[in-house]
Amino acid sequence: MIAIDPSPSMLGALRDDAAANAIDNVHIIEARWPMPDPPTGDVGLMAHVGYDIADIGEFLDMLETQSARLRVAVLGESAMTTVATLFWQDIHCEPRVRLPALPELLALLEARGRPTEVRLVDRTPPSFESVDEALAMARRQLWLREGSAKDQLLRSLAAGALTERDRRWAFEWTPTKIGIVTWSPR
């Protein structure tokens, strides 16, 4: 398996998970896709990266060129409810731009003449061991500096939104759907 990602922290998490599960056949490339001289393979996978790619056409072209048998995309059924969605307006005093998700990818693939298969699976909302862990994730999604005035506002909003179940904390407990889209070469 070849994993390509521009984020050192995401690749670090992949390395940790692979090591914890004794998976030793992962070759990691720190790069942004599309990239010069990309690797080729049997299956191409894009997981939760289609939401904010400005030139999605170029991205998909390379995915299709470099994967011989199958392409797989994993995206939220709709713009996922996140902490950013819940608090953006209150924190930043402007509406949050809705990002494209599964319906937009399916429309694009249809417009490109790609027959697809779609499977929807449940996505359990993230939960956290502590309120501090939940707030740390919220700060990342909202682009907040700890201790700032906006962070204080987040703390106030979170106090009314976080709930506990079985010693875990969450901003929401309602499952959503993730779409797994597959398509083959024409």
Side-chain angles (χ1 to χ4, degrees):
M1 181 178 105
I2 300 170
I4 302 166
D5 197 294
S7 167
S9 62
M10 291 298 289
L11 293 174
L14 175 61
R15 281 184 191 93
D16 293 346
D17 286 349
N21 291 286
I23 298 170
D24 60 4
N25 65 340
V26 179
H27 175 68
I28 292 176
I29 300 173
E30 186 176 330
R32 184 168 297 282
W33 185 271
M35 60 192 281
D37 195 28
T40 61
D42 191 41
V43 176
L45 166 68
M46 57 180 272
H48 296 291
V49 296
Y51 305 112
D52 59 353
I53 297 172
D55 194 351
I56 190 72
E58 179 185 0
F59 186 99
L60 291 172
D61 289 344
M62 185 172 282
L63 178 72
E64 290 179 344
T65 300
Q66 301 310 117
S67 53
R69 185 178 60 84
L70 184 67
R71 294 78 193 230
V72 181
V74 178
L75 286 151
E77 178 183 34
S78 62
M80 286 198 255
T81 301
T82 63
V83 174
T85 305
L86 296 172
F87 300 129
W88 192 274
Q89 176 79 42
D90 292 330
I91 299 280
H92 296 296
C93 299
E94 62 182 52
R96 183 164 191 257
V97 174
R98 183 195 171 280
L99 297 175
L102 181 64
E104 290 79 11
L105 177 67
L106 292 174
L108 176 61
L109 291 171
E110 181 179 338
R112 297 176 118 212
R114 308 308 195 268
T116 60
E117 291 184 28
V118 180
R119 194 173 106 211
L120 295 175
V121 296
D122 286 334
R123 172 192 171 260
T124 302
S127 64
F128 307 92
E129 290 182 7
S130 68
V131 170
D132 286 341
E133 187 181 287
L135 288 170
M137 187 273 303
R139 280 187 207 99
R140 284 191 304 276
Q141 286 193 358
L142 291 161
W143 300 91
L144 301 181
R145 189 178 71 246
E146 188 172 3
S148 67
K150 287 185 176 185
D151 182 44
Q152 295 307 312
L153 178 55
L154 170 65
R155 287 175 176 278
S156 173
L157 295 168
L162 276 168
T163 57
E164 181 186 12
R165 287 187 189 168
D166 301 322
R167 293 187 231 159
R168 302 281 300 176
W169 292 89
F171 291 99
E172 62 164 340
W173 294 99
T174 306
T176 56
K177 296 287 186 185
I178 296 289
I180 302 170
V181 182
T182 57
W183 69 103
S184 299
R186 287 186 281 179

